[in-house]
Amino acid sequence: SSMAVGLWMLLLFRFAVGIGVGSAPAPLGLYAEFLPPSKRGGQLVTFFTFFSIGAVLEALLAWITLGTENGGGWRALLLVSSIPSILLTFCLPIIPESPRYYLVTGQYHKALQTLQKVARINRSLESVSWEWDTVLLKPDPPPPPPPPP
């Protein structure tokens, strides 16, 4: 957005930013899915603590860039604020796909590989049964029809 030269370009860039911000909660669910249950609460509290610290730092950055004469103005604020998102873009290829996605799309071996990798990282490999019945969960049967009136 900081490189926009007109209103329509600014609106297009801000729309793109909105899509990025709107999709931000998706990785959080994926992150929580891979945490061991014993550490999940603490890890999520830590995540949200840094999220809050980031919001305060963003306000400080806005004060520096918008509140001073030589701060660079709104373009500098948008440019500097985009740096974490740009860095995150380079991290996306190393984030594994959800095992549920692999199961739904019929990629059972990839689901098993992802679960094994996460179990190894979480040091819980010995407590997980790697039988195919464990990985290929059958859907619940449909509920019985209601009784006739």
Side-chain angles (χ1 to χ4, degrees):
S1 297
S2 66
M3 296 179 193
V5 294
L7 177 63
W8 288 107
M9 188 180 277
L10 177 64
L11 291 175
L12 178 68
F13 287 155
R14 294 309 296 165
F15 178 76
V17 168
I19 289 174
V21 170
S23 64
L28 179 62
L30 188 59
Y31 172 67
E33 179 179 347
F34 289 120
L35 292 173
S38 62
K39 297 180 180 179
R40 189 171 296 144
Q43 291 289 325
L44 291 177
V45 166
T46 302
F47 174 84
F48 283 113
T49 299
F50 281 103
F51 192 82
S52 300
I53 291 169
V56 171
L57 290 176
E58 180 67 21
L60 180 63
L61 184 63
W63 179 68
I64 291 169
T65 57
L66 300 175
T68 61
E69 193 171 310
N70 295 326
W74 66 272
R75 290 180 188 267
L77 175 63
L78 289 176
L79 186 62
V80 174
S81 297
S82 67
I83 292 172
S85 297
I86 292 169
L87 294 176
L88 180 63
T89 302
F90 293 109
C91 295
L92 290 178
I94 64 171
I95 298 174
E97 189 61 69
S98 169
R100 183 182 186 288
Y101 169 79
Y102 285 138
L103 291 174
V104 168
T105 58
Q107 301 177 57
Y108 305 116
H109 286 7
K110 286 186 177 182
L112 182 61
Q113 288 172 345
T114 301
L115 289 171
Q116 288 173 331
K117 180 180 178 182
V118 170
R120 239 186 340 272
I121 292 169
N122 290 340
R123 296 184 188 97
S124 60
L125 191 59
E126 63 280 348
S127 66
V128 178
S129 170
W130 294 111
E131 301 295 326
W132 278 110
D133 290 339
T134 304
V135 176
L136 302 175
L137 298 174
K138 306 290 185 253
D140 293 334

